[in-house]
Amino acid sequence: MHRQRVMARTLGLATAVALAATACGPQKTENTGSASTAPSASAAVTTPESSPSSDDKPAGDPSASPSASASSASPSASASSSPSASPSVKAVMANGDDSEQVRELQARLKQLRLMSVAPTGFYGSKTTAAVKSFQSKNGLTASGSVDAETWKKIQGLTKKPTADELRPPTVNEVDAPDPRCMTGRVMCISKESRTLAWMIDGKVISTMDVRFGSENTPTREGVFDVGWKAKEWTSTIYHTPMPYAMFFSGGQAVHYSADFAARGYSGASHGRVNVRDKAKLSKLFDDVKVGDKVVVYW
């Protein structure tokens, strides 16, 4: 029993000594450590120099300065490289353009007899070929695109197009009428220009684009009379609609064709004279009388 008490006292004294030593040693270490780290941590949060300035100027913020310099450098770099990348003379009009200026160009080229079709406003292969031809004849670079020099030259050699020149009644240029069309009331139909001119006593009243039969089912040529008319008709052979039909030679007739309106000259008729402008043909149908003359010629 006495032995146990002595051991307990000894252990208690040793523990007290250890605790006292521990309380003194680490406390000194903590003070040294806090002197080196605490101020910098607090400075990072509160020092005005390291916080963003209120007017957002990038110069006071070292971390912002590289991005600022990069952003300011990039526009100047692109500006300096841009002129060298673009051509020295820019095209005013080129293949693929679709505008009123292109329509004017086409009308002027038509005045110069370099285009035979009516202006459409779309710069395609025909316009490109016409421009190339003009450039070759006038000592210009035959690029097929209209640069400032080409446009100025075209304007100088032509006059400002009229409203009719810009938007003529037919896409195809109307032929000079056949002599047989010069008297009476006549549907004067040219296979060469693919146009129909409604004429009274030699005067053209209206014109429209037409298409004809294929090689296997040709449209007959010659002088005929309108035998009969039908505002609504369906072919008894081919079972296709033939609105505003005016028959002049057996089953052959002038009539509206929805296929012609949709596909243009990529198709053909079964020997008849197809018209693609329904409104124009409707008016013509009302004007034409049974017995009026029809002339189909080359």
Side-chain angles (χ1 to χ4, degrees), residues 178-225:
D178 186 276
R180 296 168 291 179
C181 300
M182 300 308 292
T183 56
R185 297 161 57 87
V186 191
M187 282 195 283
C188 192
I189 302 169
S190 167
K191 281 189 168 183
E192 186 171 4
S193 67
R194 300 188 289 191
T195 56
L196 182 157
W198 169 234
M199 301 179 65
I200 299 177
D201 296 329
K203 183 182 177 183
V204 176
I205 308 301
S206 65
T207 58
M208 54 203 76
D209 296 314
V210 293
R211 75 176 182 184
F212 305 99
S214 65
E215 205 173 293
N216 297 325
T217 54
T219 303
R220 288 187 279 277
E221 297 150 32
V223 180
F224 312 93
D225 293 330

Side-chain angles (χ1 to χ4, degrees), residues 1-294:
M1 193 70 182
H2 176 71
R3 197 179 193 175
Q4 286 177 353
R5 282 198 197 106
V6 173
M7 288 179 68
R9 279 181 194 159
T10 305
L11 284 170
L13 183 59
T15 303
V17 172
L19 285 172
T22 304
C24 292
Q27 190 174 0
K28 198 171 183 181
T29 310
E30 277 179 17
N31 286 338
T32 5
S34 68
S36 63
T37 58
S40 69
S42 111
V45 176
T46 60
T47 308
E49 287 79 11
S50 63
S51 64
S53 62
S54 59
D55 63 356
D56 296 323
K57 291 180 183 175
D61 185 358
S63 65
S65 117
S67 64
S69 65
S71 65
S72 66
S74 93
S76 64
S78 65
S80 64
S81 63
S82 164
S84 61
S86 62
S88 54
V89 180
K90 220 177 164 186
V92 176
M93 289 168 274
N95 199 317
D97 287 351
D98 191 352
S99 68
E100 285 304 301
Q101 191 180 19
V102 172
R103 187 182 292 277
E104 182 185 342
L105 165 69
Q106 292 167 333
R108 289 178 183 273
L109 290 170
K110 202 156 187 270
Q111 290 177 17
L112 295 167
R113 300 189 179 279
L114 293 172
M115 287 191 78
S116 58
V117 297
T120 62
F122 179 74
Y123 201 121
S125 57
K126 289 181 181 177
T127 307
T128 301
V131 169
K132 273 187 179 178
S133 176
F134 175 84
Q135 289 168 328
S136 297
K137 289 176 182 176
N138 289 275
L140 303 168
T141 303
S143 64
S145 298
V146 178
D147 57 21
E149 188 181 5
T150 301
W151 184 226
K152 188 177 178 181
K153 189 85 172 173
I154 290 172
Q155 287 177 309
L157 293 172
T158 56
K159 61 180 178 62
K160 186 172 176 61
T162 64
D164 283 344
E165 285 178 314
L166 290 169
R167 285 178 170 79
T170 59
V171 171
N172 301 315
E173 189 171 1
V174 181
D175 252 351
D178 186 276
R180 296 168 291 179
C181 300
M182 300 308 292
T183 56
R185 297 161 57 87
V186 191
M187 282 195 283
C188 192
I189 302 169
S190 167
K191 281 189 168 183
E192 186 171 4
S193 67
R194 300 188 289 191
T195 56
L196 182 157
W198 169 234
M199 301 179 65
I200 299 177
D201 296 329
K203 183 182 177 183
V204 176
I205 308 301
S206 65
T207 58
M208 54 203 76
D209 296 314
V210 293
R211 75 176 182 184
F212 305 99
S214 65
E215 205 173 293
N216 297 325
T217 54
T219 303
R220 288 187 279 277
E221 297 150 32
V223 180
F224 312 93
D225 293 330
V226 175
W228 58 288
K229 297 165 53 179
K231 192 171 183 177
E232 296 293 337
W233 186 259
T234 300
S235 169
T236 54
I237 301 173
Y238 302 105
H239 310 292
T240 52
M242 297 170 56
Y244 302 106
M246 293 174 279
F247 291 88
F248 60 83
S249 175
Q252 296 201 348
V254 173
H255 70 87
Y256 170 72
S257 167
D259 181 74
F260 183 26
R263 296 199 300 143
Y265 291 103
S266 59
S269 76
H270 293 106
R272 302 178 180 109
V273 180
N274 289 167
V275 178
R276 64 174 160 193
D277 192 322
K278 196 173 189 178
K280 278 188 179 181
L281 185 59
S282 170
K283 175 73 170 59
L284 179 63
F285 184 87
D286 292 339
D287 290 346
V288 170
K289 299 173 183 176
V290 172
D292 284 344
K293 191 159 57 172
V294 179

